[in-house]
Amino acid sequence: TRPVPKMDVNPVSSSRPGEWKKVDVVDWHERSIGRAVLKVRSVMPMLQNNFPARVRQEILAKQTGKKVTKKEPKDIDRCFLEAMILIGERPTKADLDGGQLKAGTHERFRFAMPAVAFKDAAVEAANKYDDAFKTDARASFWIITPPEDQNMIPLELDAPPYAREDVARQKGTIDIRIRPCFDAWRATINLEFSTRCVSFESLYSWFRNAGRSMGIGDWRLFGKTSTGMFGGFEIVEAAYQLPKDA
């Protein structure tokens, strides 16, 4: 009968049947995981379109049978502020001047983009240009962010975003959308990748093509319902570290 291992032992079979050998899981992790840092910058403006908590609450109230208040007239300033994506504290109407954010506001608040926006763009590029299956590409690398950043990548800005007004047509209706537009931005992407699934050269290629052909944000270069001219970026610096046994 095969012996049952203790709970503090990792069941990795040794050369002799019937024995168990304890493994340093950190060491095994280090043997297969590479790390990379990509610094990117915009090559065209980017639009954000956050899904506001207020709207989520209204939808939830309607779906759970709660009384829903009558829809209020569109508040242009509120639409602009709610569409922003940030880490932590958010600007209020007191930070606006004539419908735009006051100068220097970008230094007080942490504007950001979801890490998954960059990952999705890279996965789409892997599928489109390298014929990689999306499931394989998605499982081969991870974007690493500190817990306090809430899976967001902070944006480095020289000026605050401004309110941009666009006409959107959807299902026969016309809507005026007010979204924050970032003319210039920079970001640092920290990655881990499985060297058994993808090389750094391929990963670099995925992100390079993602910036030039896919983009991030609303009305980006390529998406299921998007063929816009926003959200493009380029890699300006890159570094990587392979595992010690690679």
Side-chain angles (χ1 to χ4, degrees):
T1 303
R2 192 176 187 184
V4 178
K6 296 179 180 179
M7 293 300 291
D8 61 343
V9 175
N10 297 287
V12 177
S13 59
S14 64
S15 57
R16 288 193 283 178
E19 292 187 0
W20 294 90
K21 182 173 67 173
K22 191 171 183 178
V23 172
D24 185 341
V25 292
V26 174
D27 181 64
W28 274 62
H29 179 81
E30 295 295 328
R31 293 183 187 185
S32 61
I33 301 300
R35 295 175 175 82
V37 178
L38 303 178
K39 292 190 175 183
V40 301
R41 68 182 176 195
S42 59
V43 294
M44 58 188 64
M46 177 184 66
L47 296 174
Q48 288 187 340
N49 193 16
N50 182 48
F51 194 61
R54 173 183 56 83
V55 177
R56 290 199 298 267
Q57 292 170 357
E58 291 175 355
I59 294 174
L60 182 61
K62 185 176 181 180
Q63 292 178 344
T64 54
K66 296 180 180 178
K67 185 177 180 180
V68 180
T69 58
K70 185 178 179 181
K71 192 172 182 179
E72 300 175 0
K74 179 168 290 190
D75 184 329
I76 300 300
D77 289 344
R78 185 175 68 179
C79 289
F80 175 43
L81 293 169
E82 288 184 335
M84 298 174 187
I85 300 174
L86 299 101
I87 300 170
E89 186 182 359
R90 303 183 63 85
T92 66
K93 290 185 178 182
D95 297 299
L96 297 179
D97 182 10
Q100 302 291 350
L101 286 174
K102 296 177 182 178
T105 307
H106 63 289
E107 298 173 352
R108 295 173 43 221
F109 300 96
R110 299 186 69 199
F111 292 92
M113 280 297 289
V116 71
F118 289 95
K119 179 160 186 170
D120 283 349
V123 169
E124 287 285 354
N127 175 253
K128 186 174 181 64
Y129 294 106
D130 287 357
D131 293 326
F133 288 110
K134 290 184 180 181
T135 49
D136 294 341
R138 191 173 290 112
S140 66
F141 73 95
W142 313 269
I143 295 180
I144 307 302
T145 62
E148 62 270 19
D149 285 353
Q150 307 165 17
N151 293 319
M152 298 281 185
I153 295 182
L155 300 178
E156 301 169 31
L157 306 173
D158 295 323
Y162 58 91
R164 178 185 167 96
E165 181 181 304
D166 292 291
V167 177
R169 294 177 175 84
Q170 189 174 15
K171 296 182 179 179
T173 62
I174 297 177
D175 186 27
I176 304 298
R177 294 184 181 174
I178 312 298
R179 295 170 288 191
C181 184
F182 299 77
D183 274 345
W185 55 271
R186 300 175 300 279
T188 299
I189 306 171
N190 292 286
L191 300 158
E192 288 189 355
F193 61 98
S194 172
T195 55
R196 299 179 182 181
C197 300
V198 64
S199 67
F200 172 74
E201 290 76 13
S202 292
L203 189 62
Y204 181 94
S205 175
W206 294 354
F207 274 88
R208 181 191 61 202
N209 291 329
R212 289 295 184 177
S213 302
M214 305 297 164
I216 60 172
D218 227 27
W219 207 17
R220 57 190 175 274
L221 296 169
F222 178 84
K224 292 181 180 179
T225 60
S226 177
T227 55
M229 291 295 293
F230 291 84
F233 60 89
E234 65 181 357
I235 300 173
V236 292
E237 288 185 41
Y240 71 99
Q241 179 187 60
L242 294 178
K244 59 184 179 181
D245 290 344

